[in-house]
């Protein structure tokens, strides 16, 4: 008799399973090393006519579930998640809200790359070879993904996001511990500050993660104190998401250029950052460092994972000269999960070890 069929000893009596007040199922993926937890069932109804209203509703009424899924013991400090919601625009195949350790983003490129595969593999969109279009409504607007399909299997994903633009260049801010530093600010579905790590004596590929994280956070704090952001579409989009430290190699080259993105509450992206690459390409185009349809490799300084990025057309976003940017990468499945909660769990609301 094998171990699986061996009955338990008679002295052990069977006890009833605990009751769970919450049960949420997810699909787990990663893009360039950056995790993505996609909620597939168990989330309460999210109210709101528009996706930005839904984002506000989740923030005001369901934030305990973000903490349950993102925080320890079910998640970790750098976990990232997606909630599928009902779209309010007819051309969207799926609509999503993004969540992280601090709250809710307006755009996430690594998530879009994963969601492209997820939408096809789970029947939201019918696969067509050699490429399938997947339209994803994000809080920043409609993002169009193109998924490579071959022999019934989804593959690499490219996406064209909302118009991206340089908001301000050479902005002088007072960075604690470093004095006055000039930074650039650009939008790629979310606003980022950009500065070369060399300004602080750091190397994005070799300096320790804590040094990079603390320096980028200090830059973000300085920009938030100094710069008032604005977006033509909505005030809900007018906030600094994070700082991207670069290797300073912004002129067009066939060689990869590396960066590390620190966003939200000192969260460190393991991928090159899809919305960050979008914003960086827009910034490079604004400065004349990259032309239209010049593909560039962007590399995460810690993991070495790569995305490609290129500006494909010029456009406008309100008063700003903008470009549409195509970013490409590959996502992979890592598993599925069902997360539960017992009401008498003293740590049921989650925690973060900082």
């Amino acid at each position: 008799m094998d171990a699986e069929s061996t009955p338990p000893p008679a002295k052990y009596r069977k006890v009833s399973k605990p009751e769970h007040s919450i049960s949420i199922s997810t699909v787990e993926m990663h893009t360039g090393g950056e995790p993505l937890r996609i909620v597939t069932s168990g989330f309460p109804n999210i109210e709101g006519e528009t996706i930005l209203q839904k984002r506000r509703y989740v923030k005001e009424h369901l934030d305990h579930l973000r903490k349950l899924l993102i925080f320890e013991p079910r998640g970790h400090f750098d976990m990232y998640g997606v909630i599928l919601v009902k779209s309010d625009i007819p051309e969207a195949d799926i609509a999503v809200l993004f969540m992280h350790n601090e709250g809710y983003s307006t755009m996430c490129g690594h998530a879009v790359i994963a969601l492209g595969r997820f939408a096809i593999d789970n029947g939201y969109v019918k696969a067509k070879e050699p490429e399938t279009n997947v339209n994803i409504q994000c809080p920043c607007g409609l993002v169009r993904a193109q998924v490579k399909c071959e022999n019934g299997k989804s593959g690499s994903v490219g996406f064209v996001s909302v118009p991206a633009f340089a908001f301000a260049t050479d902005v002088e801010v007072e960075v604690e511990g470093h004095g006055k530093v000039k930074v650039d600010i650009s939008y790629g579905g979310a606003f980022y500050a950009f500065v070369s790590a060399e300004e602080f004596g750091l190397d994005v590929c070799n300096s320790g993660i804590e040094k990079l994280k603390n320096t980028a956070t200090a830059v973000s704090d300085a920009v938030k104190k100094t710069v008032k952001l604005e977006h033509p579409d909505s005030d809900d989009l007018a906030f600094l998401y994070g700082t991207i430290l670069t290797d300073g190699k912004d002129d067009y080259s066939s060689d990869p250029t590396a960066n590390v993105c620190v966003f939200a509450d000192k969260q460190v992206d393991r991928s090159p950052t899809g919305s960050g690459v979008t914003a960086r390409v827009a910034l490079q185009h604004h400065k004349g460092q990259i032309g239209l349809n010049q593909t560039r490799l962007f590399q995460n300084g810690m993991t070495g994972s790569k995305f490609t990025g290129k500006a494909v057309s010029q456009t406008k976003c309100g008063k700003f000269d903008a470009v549409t940017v195509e970013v490409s990468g590959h996502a992979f499945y890592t598993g599925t999960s069902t997360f539960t909660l017992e009401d008498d769990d003293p740590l049921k609301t989650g925690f973060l070890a900082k």
Side-chain angles (χ1 to χ4, degrees):
M1 183 178 290
D2 59 36
E4 290 185 358
S5 60
T6 303
K11 64 179 179 179
Y12 297 123
R13 65 182 181 87
K14 185 178 181 180
V15 297
S16 59
K17 293 182 179 180
E19 293 184 2
H20 305 299
S21 60
I22 291 174
S23 181
I24 297 175
S25 296
T26 66
V27 169
E28 310 289 317
M29 301 184 74
H30 84 88
T31 308
E34 179 70 358
L36 187 69
R37 177 161 289 165
I38 305 170
V39 176
T40 56
S41 66
F43 218 82
N45 180 57
I46 298 172
E47 297 181 12
E49 294 296 321
T50 69
I51 197 164
L52 287 175
Q53 289 174 354
K54 290 181 173 71
R55 179 174 174 266
R56 287 194 294 269
Y57 182 87
V58 169
K59 183 176 181 179
E60 294 170 1
H61 301 281
L62 299 174
D63 200 49
H64 61 289
L65 296 180
R66 173 186 67 87
K67 295 175 181 177
L68 182 142
L69 292 168
I70 300 298
F71 288 9
E72 297 183 56
R74 299 168 188 85
H76 54 80
F77 192 85
D78 296 300
M79 176 55 69
Y80 206 97
V82 159
I83 309 165
L84 296 170
V85 297
K86 185 178 180 181
S87 172
D88 57 83
I89 54 176
E91 58 265 50
D93 298 306
I94 59 173
V96 295
L97 300 176
F98 305 114
M99 54 185 176
H100 47 71
N101 71 6
E102 187 181 49
Y104 306 89
S105 175
T106 52
M107 172 57 187
C108 178
H110 95 272
V112 165
I113 290 170
L115 287 164
R117 290 195 68 196
F118 171 85
I120 292 173
D121 297 339
N122 288 273
Y124 290 91
V125 179
K126 185 178 180 180
K128 297 179 182 179
E129 297 187 7
E131 190 172 84
T132 303
N133 295 325
V134 180
N135 292 338
I136 303 171
Q137 186 186 15
C138 305
C140 66
L142 187 67
V143 176
R144 302 180 186 276
Q146 302 83 38
V147 185
K148 301 292 185 184
C149 295
E150 185 176 358
N151 298 323
K153 179 177 173 56
S154 59
S156 62
V157 180
F159 69 86
V160 176
S161 187
V162 296
F165 56 88
F167 179 82
T169 58
D170 293 327
V171 179
E172 192 171 76
V173 295
E174 184 75 28
V175 180
E176 185 176 354
H178 300 281
K180 295 187 183 299
V181 177
K182 288 184 178 180
V183 303
D184 299 325
I185 302 169
S186 189
Y187 179 82
F191 281 102
Y192 295 93
F194 291 86
V195 61
S196 172
E198 293 179 351
E199 293 287 333
F200 310 97
L202 299 176
D203 182 332
V204 291
C205 296
N206 295 303
S207 296
I209 187 172
E210 287 300 317
K211 289 182 179 179
L212 295 169
K213 180 166 64 174
N214 291 336
T215 300
T217 299
V219 172
S220 290
D221 291 343
V223 172
K224 290 175 183 177
K225 291 177 183 177
T226 307
V227 182
K228 180 176 174 55
L229 298 175
E230 59 177 289
H231 193 282
D233 294 341
S234 173
D235 289 341
D236 283 356
L237 304 175
F239 66 93
L240 188 75
Y241 191 32
T243 289
I244 296 179
L245 299 175
T246 77
D247 60 5
K249 299 175 182 178
D250 288 305
D251 289 320
Y252 177 71
S253 169
S254 59
D255 296 329
T257 176
N259 56 232
V260 170
C261 175
V262 181
F263 64 99
D265 181 14
K266 295 184 179 181
Q267 190 161 339
V268 182
D269 198 332
R270 273 67 173 163
S271 80
T273 309
S275 55
V277 167
T278 302
R280 193 173 174 198
V281 169
L283 182 63
Q284 290 173 342
H285 183 269
H286 174 80
K287 290 185 170 186
Q289 296 166 324
I290 191 171
L292 290 179
N293 293 307
Q294 286 187 312
T295 300
R296 188 81 195 270
L297 270 174
F298 296 86
Q299 175 179 312
N300 181 283
M302 299 180 304
T303 65
S305 60
K306 296 179 180 68
F307 291 167
T308 62
K310 64 178 178 180
V312 294
S313 66
Q314 294 176 296
T315 185
K316 296 284 287 188
C317 186
K319 68 181 182 181
F320 297 100
D321 292 326
V323 288
T324 55
V325 177
E326 181 182 293
V327 176
S328 299
H330 206 142
F332 299 89
Y333 292 95
T334 57
T336 58
S337 300
T338 298
F339 296 99
T340 59
L341 181 148
E342 294 183 77
D343 287 332
D344 60 349
D345 181 352
L347 297 176
K348 65 182 180 181
T349 57
F351 63 93
L352 288 177
K354 299 184 180 181

